[in-house]
Amino acid sequence: MVGVGADVEVVDGRLDVEVPVSCDLHHQRCQRDVAHSRLEGARFEALRRQKHVDHPAESAELGTHRAHDVEQILVRRSGFVAELADLRRDLRIDAGYMSRIAARFETDGLITREPSSVDGRRQSLRLTDRGREVSETLDARSAAQVAGLLGDLAPGDRRRLVAAMGTVRDVLDRERSAGTAVALRAPGPGDYGWVVSRHGALYAAEYGWDCGFEALVARIVADYVQDRDPAREAAWIAEAGGEPVGCVFCVAKDATTAQLRILLVEPSARGLGVGTRLVDQCLRFARAAGYDAITLWTNDVLTSARRLYEAAGFELTDQEPHHSFGQDLVGQNWTKAL
């Protein structure tokens, strides 16, 4: 759902989004940091799949690489120990195959097996010193291979590649997505640039809106930063996995009415209830600040946004056709009594 909720918001839509040329320096640095933070996980997933597909006949190499899979899970447990059944579940392989892998790794001196301390009928695996050395060697080799793959790419293309890999992983791993913890916090350095650039990029990709929309968001953000009344106005950034995934602003429309503005949820966080949490946070703040009502402006093409507003108790008060952002639209005002 995308809406110019409170002028704008994005809650559902396509995933293939490019960052526009107009992104500011804060945003570029932010995206670079995000790409770097994601690279470790993306590298592991990509190289694991590349090994399995490109070298199926190299059983020794494949076995070593599966040792890396095992190590990735064992290192999360105290003492590099995990139960065989847990490893099978986490690696999503059948019991027979897991048993054969464990037997071969034990023969090669990569792991040791012992009865579980919780249930003697189950087995625990412990990574040996040699097993860790093999995994570290493979890790260094994988890093070198990825460096070679990415070395000739422009910085922007590297960011897009890593972001796309993260999206694929999140979409396919439903359990991981469902368990993602989302926190709301106040904006920090670089966040305001992120708000502007992500609105511009997402609405251009999903609705074909031109740079006039990004300029509108930039003015809204600039006015907030320069003229904010802390007692009556606030903004929040939704964060998941250390990355910004959404935002909303609550500003004064007049002495008794608040306005919800610039609500956005990244494609990677859609379906996690982020939009609802941001709207609820805005409503709570507006009530506490003493407003009698809250309003927002959106457009009729953003049908999912309307459902979000209706669920929160907003009512459509008026609408009017207009031509903005390179498109023919119908602007709508929604209001809720507090």
Side-chain angles (χ1 to χ4, degrees):
M1 159 178 64
V2 174
V4 188
D7 294 323
V8 230
E9 85 265 5
V10 179
V11 186
D12 295 309
R14 299 189 296 276
L15 297 174
D16 51 336
V17 178
E18 296 186 15
V19 177
V21 176
S22 58
C23 289
D24 62 16
L25 182 59
H26 283 305
H27 173 66
Q28 293 176 24
R29 290 172 176 168
C30 177
Q31 288 295 91
R32 182 178 65 238
D33 292 341
V34 169
H36 288 170
S37 69
R38 276 182 161 175
L39 184 56
E40 180 68 16
R43 176 183 56 73
F44 173 69
E45 292 295 322
L47 267 296
R48 181 175 68 171
R49 284 159 177 73
Q50 183 186 53
K51 287 288 183 182
H52 284 262
V53 174
D54 293 348
H55 307 289
E58 297 178 26
S59 58
E61 179 69 20
L62 180 62
T64 300
H65 205 79
R66 292 307 281 182
H68 193 209
D69 285 355
V70 173
E71 186 268 349
Q72 288 291 314
I73 296 175
L74 285 174
V75 294
R76 301 171 196 158
R77 272 76 166 183
S78 176
F80 300 91
V81 178
E83 290 196 357
L84 188 64
D86 293 338
L87 283 172
R88 186 174 70 246
R89 182 196 64 236
D90 292 343
L91 291 171
R92 299 178 183 178
I93 57 180
D94 64 63
Y97 185 37
M98 184 71 244
S99 181
R100 290 192 295 273
I101 290 175
R104 181 166 50 167
F105 289 173
E106 186 176 30
T107 299
D108 293 342
L110 302 176
I111 63 170
T112 59
R113 289 199 276 188
E114 57 194 44
S116 168
S117 59
V118 177
D119 186 343
R121 296 169 298 178
R122 306 179 70 178
Q123 288 186 325
S124 292
L125 307 184
R126 182 185 299 273
L127 199 65
T128 65
D129 290 342
R130 181 171 183 271
R132 288 195 288 273
E133 290 174 2
V134 167
S135 180
E136 290 169 1
T137 299
L138 180 63
D139 198 50
R141 188 187 311 167
S142 296
Q145 288 175 325
V146 170
L149 289 171
L150 302 183
D152 295 333
L153 296 179
D157 290 336
R158 287 199 297 270
R159 290 194 295 271
R160 290 174 55 206
L161 176 62
V162 173
M165 292 174 70
T167 298
V168 170
R169 181 191 59 201
D170 292 343
V171 169
L172 295 179
D173 194 343
R174 301 295 180 85
E175 293 179 3
R176 178 181 180 276
S177 296
T180 300
V182 178
L184 303 187
R185 60 171 175 79
D191 285 329
Y192 295 112
W194 175 86
V195 169
V196 174
S197 63
R198 293 311 293 151
H199 275 91
L202 289 174
Y203 277 86
E206 298 178 353
Y207 288 93
W209 292 9
D210 63 23
C211 291
F213 178 67
E214 189 169 358
L216 169 64
V217 177
R219 287 192 294 272
I220 294 170
V221 170
D223 289 345
Y224 173 85
V225 173
Q226 293 173 2
D227 304 325
R228 177 197 173 201
D229 178 354
R232 293 171 54 78
E233 299 178 313
W236 298 269
I237 298 293
E239 188 174 84
E243 304 172 23
V245 295
C247 64
V248 72
F249 284 51
C250 183
V251 301
K253 178 74 171 178
D254 56 41
T256 61
T257 306
Q259 186 172 10
L260 186 154
R261 310 195 84 174
I262 327 179
L263 172 66
L264 177 144
V265 177
E266 284 280 8
S268 62
R270 292 168 187 170
L272 301 179
V274 176
T276 298
R277 287 190 59 187
L278 287 167
V279 171
D280 288 346
Q281 180 66 36
C282 189
L283 295 177
R284 283 194 296 271
F285 175 85
R287 290 190 189 96
Y291 291 105
D292 296 329
I294 185 168
T295 187
L296 63 86
W297 180 76
T298 186
N299 282 276
D300 70 327
V301 295
L302 312 174
T303 55
S304 296
R306 294 206 303 268
R307 287 195 291 270
L308 178 63
Y309 299 142
E310 289 171 337
F314 283 87
E315 296 181 352
L316 177 63
T317 56
D318 62 79
Q319 56 185 347
E320 182 178 0
H322 65 104
H323 184 86
S324 302
F325 323 130
Q327 305 293 328
D328 291 322
L329 303 167
V330 177
Q332 297 181 332
N333 290 302
W334 293 70
T335 301
K336 173 182 171 63
L338 297 173

